[in-house]
Amino acid sequence: MARLDPRNWASWRPFGIGLRKPNNYLELAKAFRSVKGNRRYAWRILNQGTCDGCALGTRGMRDWTMDEIHLCNIRLRLLPLNTMPALDVSLLRDVSGLTGRKSAELRDLGRLPYPMLRRAGEPGFTRVSWDEALGVAAGGLRDARFGAYLTSRGVPNENYYAAQKAVRALGTNNVDNAARICHSPSTVALKETIGAAATTCSYTDWIGSDLIVFIGSNPSNNQPVAMKYLFHAKKAGTRVAMVNAYREPGMDKYWVPSNAESAVFGTKITDEFFGVNVGGDIGFLNGVLKHVIENDWVDKVFVDEHTTGFERLRRTVSEQSWEELEALSGASREEMFRLARLLGEAKSAVLVWSMGITQHTYGEDNVRAIVNLALARGFVGRDHCGLMPIRGHSGVQGGAEMGAYATGLPGGLPITAENTAAFTELWGFEVPGTPGLTAGEMIDAAHAGELDALVSSGGNFLEVMPDPGYCREALSRLGLRVHIDIVLSSQMLVPSDGDVLLLPAQTRYEMVGGVTETSTERRIIFSPEVEGPRIGEAWPEWKIFTELAARTRPEIAAAVRFTGTPQIREEIERAVPYYEGIAGLRSFGDNVQYGGRHLLAGGRFQTSDGLGRFSAVRLPAVERSDGTFTVATRRGKQFNSMVHEHRDGFNGATREAVLMSPYDADRLDLPDGAEVELRSGERTYRGRVLRAPLTPGNLQIHWPEGNVLLHETRRSPDAKIPDYNASVTVRRL
């Protein structure tokens, strides 16, 4: 008991009895019940597999940061997808009875066991052989304008690599993945400023750092296992600051179920909170930097020896008035000084960000503003320091690095004549030399009749992209849709002008030869095949994509086919030099962290001149008319668009909640539960008011339900990420 530290306890009530918070142990019990009939297989997956949930990475139920159980409810909620039996394919003969069902209901029907085909005008799908399915697909892809999209749901590196190679073998760079709609601005800005599109540190750097700053990031909902790292960081004396429009309850107090002290008494997480407007981050961060400069808190030695562009940045922020910065950020000059002093007095700090920073039309500049702060204080390349774009899904980091990206080749290389020539020589077929269509641009092209076919591996455009109606129309106009997945989704049921194919995929735990994933901290982790039941005629996705290419272009079949995942890993090592060691991963627990603990050790940047680059970030032109609010889309009790609970245990919000500050609710005379309509142009959303600790003038609604308010044309200029925010009026119904 001597090691207990009451200073950080959230409550003296054992297990937080009577307080609003998720019941982690009840959720464990729910997860246990959900895999009834396959519990032995589920147990083997938990103990022998690498987590297919968030991107923290595991070896079974252990990790590389500390010797504690590594298990969270997100992973447990995904177990049914990996263990459920096959669906009854007779249900697909006429899909009219399935149309309109919620995604959770469609998933619960079971795994896709066989290839299924629906011809234009037919009421549903009929079972076909793999040979017939591949023949239909090859006929529709040959000489066609097509695109391919891969979601991040548990997709391993091997599938990404083989898929992008197959697509390029068919003569196009129209291949994109879910990183496009989450961290693509981070990729653009980090490559430009530090030369590497990955986190610069490791999770061990959290523990013992003087300060961790979360900016537009909520790991308590999206990476809950990370909360045990924060528990240990707080025990080590680390201070935690949060910059956000909403004071997330789970980031205030959290009960870590795998640690006895935190499970009983909870843990105070956030020490300092800074409320800002949705989209006001640049105003706030530039104000913080202005204070850092004016108070002589800049690490001059680091700036002089390891960076370039500081003087231009200094002039830019000096020209930005405090009135401008306050108006944009929604925070006062004094609040900006408070964070500047925390950073200025800290000898070490880690800056962490996520979708609250990236999913804006100026997401790249948001990230550049964060990098500026880290460079000004020298918080890169050493212990307990770093830049961390934390990843929400296990497949995101590897997706872009494997080249499943419309604007990049394997290794994150730009699409240039020199690079495409190198891959042409490596692969034995000509690689296209112009960037392809991003995910959003594929939807635009389909809607405009300028795309003939779409291959979608997982994902659901009707749920993840802005304006579901626009996406539905786009999908319906395609001459061929190929949906590769393990379960049904609503986009599969959209009637089409052409053929719709459903191709059953294997999970990562079913793949012979095992697979790998890349975690947020750049750790490439092997996940072996796990003994258990197998579903119908499901294939690994690497084989599906390469066979599609081989059938479409038989003359290059030998160049695109693989014998198995070990051969794919051998080729990855040749194609992506910094993935050295991946070919040797073959047993449970095998891993290699590329770049080591610190990617930029000693302040040596991966830019052409070895220097970190400051960016003169100007203030975005954000105007909000009187009487309007900025609404952001938030995640609740869910994984990606897979909603697990109707009510969020952290704040009590149901899926139809419109989170509003008490100030705004009182001003508009709106009690909790009042039904309101949010309107953005002709787009409307109905929900119920719930008071929450939000910066006045801002609202939050759940994603994907709130996507109906989002405009499909609003994207950032470089990364082309959709803007998941809108300006709305509020009317009581």
Side-chain angles (χ1 to χ4, degrees), residues 630-669:
T630 300
V631 62
T633 48
R634 66 174 283 105
R635 280 43 165 186
K637 203 65 180 175
Q638 63 193 95
F639 176 71
N640 199 9
S641 62
M642 296 168 53
V643 178
H644 294 142
E645 296 285 347
H646 182 66
R647 185 182 298 274
D648 188 334
F650 285 117
N651 59 12
T654 56
R655 299 301 299 183
E656 63 272 14
V658 176
L659 275 61
M660 179 180 288
S661 76
Y663 171 82
D664 288 324
D666 290 343
R667 180 172 58 85
L668 298 177
D669 192 24

Side-chain angles (χ1 to χ4, degrees), residues 78-104:
L78 294 176
L79 277 177
L81 293 178
N82 295 301
T83 60
M84 65 172 54
L87 67 79
D88 179 0
V89 294
S90 67
L91 295 172
L92 300 180
R93 291 174 188 157
D94 185 344
V95 298
S96 60
L98 301 177
T99 303
R101 287 200 189 185
K102 294 182 178 179
S103 293

Side-chain angles (χ1 to χ4, degrees), residues 271-293:
D271 298 291
E272 306 286 348
F273 177 77
F274 302 90
V276 298
N277 284 329
V278 172
D281 304 279
I282 292 173
F284 184 79
L285 297 171
N286 278 13
V288 172
L289 182 60
K290 191 178 175 85
H291 278 305
V292 167
I293 294 170

Side-chain angles (χ1 to χ4, degrees), residues 663-680:
Y663 171 82
D664 288 324
D666 290 343
R667 180 172 58 85
L668 298 177
D669 192 24
L670 293 172
D672 279 352
E675 190 175 5
V676 292
E677 178 187 78
L678 309 187
R679 177 175 289 273
S680 178

Side-chain angles (χ1 to χ4, degrees), residues 412-586:
L413 295 174
I415 298 174
T416 64
E418 180 183 1
N419 291 334
T420 54
F423 280 99
T424 294
E425 182 178 357
L426 174 66
W427 289 336
F429 54 79
E430 186 174 353
V431 176
T434 56
L437 299 176
T438 64
E441 290 169 337
M442 291 179 201
I443 293 296
D444 291 343
H447 196 275
E450 297 170 357
L451 198 72
D452 303 315
L454 175 71
V455 181
S456 178
S457 171
N460 188 345
F461 283 122
L462 301 183
E463 292 184 342
V464 304
M465 299 296 283
D467 197 337
Y470 178 79
C471 292
R472 180 179 294 275
E473 289 178 9
L475 293 175
S476 70
R477 295 174 184 179
L478 290 161
L480 171 69
R481 297 206 318 266
V482 181
H483 296 285
I484 305 168
D485 213 327
I486 60 175
V487 290
L488 285 177
S489 68
S490 57
Q491 71 171 0
M492 298 174 179
L493 308 181
V494 174
S496 179
D497 289 343
D499 296 332
V500 181
L501 273 169
L502 310 183
L503 302 182
Q506 292 180 347
T507 71
R508 65 169 57 183
Y509 308 114
E510 296 168 350
M511 293 190 206
V512 176
V515 294
T516 61
E517 75 161 64
T518 306
S519 74
T520 287
E521 63 174 6
R522 296 169 279 103
R523 193 178 301 277
I524 308 163
I525 309 162
F526 183 78
S527 186
E529 179 186 6
V530 178
E531 178 189 355
R534 297 296 181 257
I535 299 297
E537 298 173 2
W539 279 14
E541 284 169 272
W542 65 261
K543 182 178 179 181
I544 296 174
F545 274 97
T546 54
E547 282 302 308
L548 284 175
R551 290 295 190 97
T552 306
R553 291 190 64 192
E555 69 276 13
I556 61 165
V560 295
R561 284 182 170 137
F562 291 101
T563 58
T565 57
Q567 186 192 15
I568 300 175
R569 288 191 287 277
E570 290 173 3
E571 187 168 304
I572 290 173
E573 191 160 313
R574 295 196 298 273
V576 186
Y578 62 83
Y579 264 57
E580 181 181 1
I582 189 175
L585 305 181
R586 55 178 60 92

Side-chain angles (χ1 to χ4, degrees), residues 137-433:
L141 293 176
R142 193 172 293 117
D143 300 322
R145 302 167 298 176
F146 81 98
Y149 174 80
L150 294 92
T151 188
S152 57
R153 55 104 183 95
V155 176
N157 293 323
E158 292 79 357
N159 284 356
Y160 277 127
Y161 182 83
Q164 62 83 30
K165 181 181 177 182
V167 171
R168 291 185 162 110
L170 293 176
T172 182
N173 285 318
N174 294 344
V175 56
D176 220 25
N177 76 81
R180 179 67 58 190
I181 58 175
C182 59
H183 267 300
S184 54
S186 301
T187 297
V188 169
L190 289 175
K191 281 186 177 179
E192 179 185 283
T193 56
I194 66 173
T199 180
T200 68
C201 58
S202 301
Y203 287 114
T204 51
D205 289 302
W206 285 16
I207 303 165
S209 178
D210 286 349
L211 180 67
I212 305 174
V213 185
F214 289 94
I215 313 167
S217 183
N218 178 19
S220 61
N221 258 14
N222 301 318
Q223 300 92 10
V225 178
M227 303 308 288
K228 73 174 183 179
Y229 303 155
L230 290 178
F231 165 76
H232 286 282
K234 294 301 295 289
K235 294 272 283 189
T238 299
R239 293 185 68 76
V240 176
M242 189 173 187
V243 180
N244 207 10
Y246 177 45
R247 185 160 188 157
E248 297 283 355
M251 289 298 290
D252 254 357
K253 301 174 182 178
Y254 196 89
W255 280 255
V256 179
S258 59
N259 180 277
E261 181 181 358
S262 185
V264 175
F265 299 108
T267 304
K268 296 176 185 175
I269 302 296
T270 298
D271 298 291
E272 306 286 348
F273 177 77
F274 302 90
V276 298
N277 284 329
V278 172
D281 304 279
I282 292 173
F284 184 79
L285 297 171
N286 278 13
V288 172
L289 182 60
K290 191 178 175 85
H291 278 305
V292 167
I293 294 170
E294 291 179 354
N295 287 274
D296 202 26
W297 285 322
V298 174
D299 186 335
K300 292 185 176 64
V301 173
F302 183 88
V303 168
D304 291 343
E305 295 181 359
H306 299 286
T307 71
T308 183
F310 179 74
E311 281 305 311
R312 180 166 172 256
L313 168 64
R314 184 187 60 77
R315 289 193 301 271
T316 298
V317 296
S318 68
E319 294 167 358
Q320 295 170 358
S321 70
W322 290 113
E323 290 76 17
E324 289 177 301
L325 297 170
E326 288 178 326
L328 176 61
S329 68
S332 68
R333 176 178 178 177
E334 290 72 26
E335 284 290 276
M336 298 173 199
F337 177 79
R338 196 158 60 87
L339 180 56
R341 185 170 60 186
L342 284 173
L343 290 165
E345 294 176 351
K347 293 181 175 62
S348 59
V350 180
L351 307 184
V352 185
W353 71 93
S354 195
M355 308 299 95
I357 282 292
T358 59
Q359 290 182 333
H360 295 270
T361 54
Y362 41 89
E364 298 92 329
D365 271 350
N366 282 343
V367 177
R368 292 178 186 117
I370 295 173
V371 175
N372 284 341
L373 276 175
L375 295 181
R377 292 291 297 125
F379 289 150
V380 290
R382 54 190 176 91
D383 288 355
H384 308 305
C385 294
L387 291 160
M388 180 176 282
I390 194 168
R391 309 287 181 162
H393 303 112
S394 65
V396 174
Q397 186 69 42
E401 291 172 347
M402 294 298 97
Y405 221 44
T407 51
L409 294 163
L413 295 174
I415 298 174
T416 64
E418 180 183 1
N419 291 334
T420 54
F423 280 99
T424 294
E425 182 178 357
L426 174 66
W427 289 336
F429 54 79
E430 186 174 353
V431 176

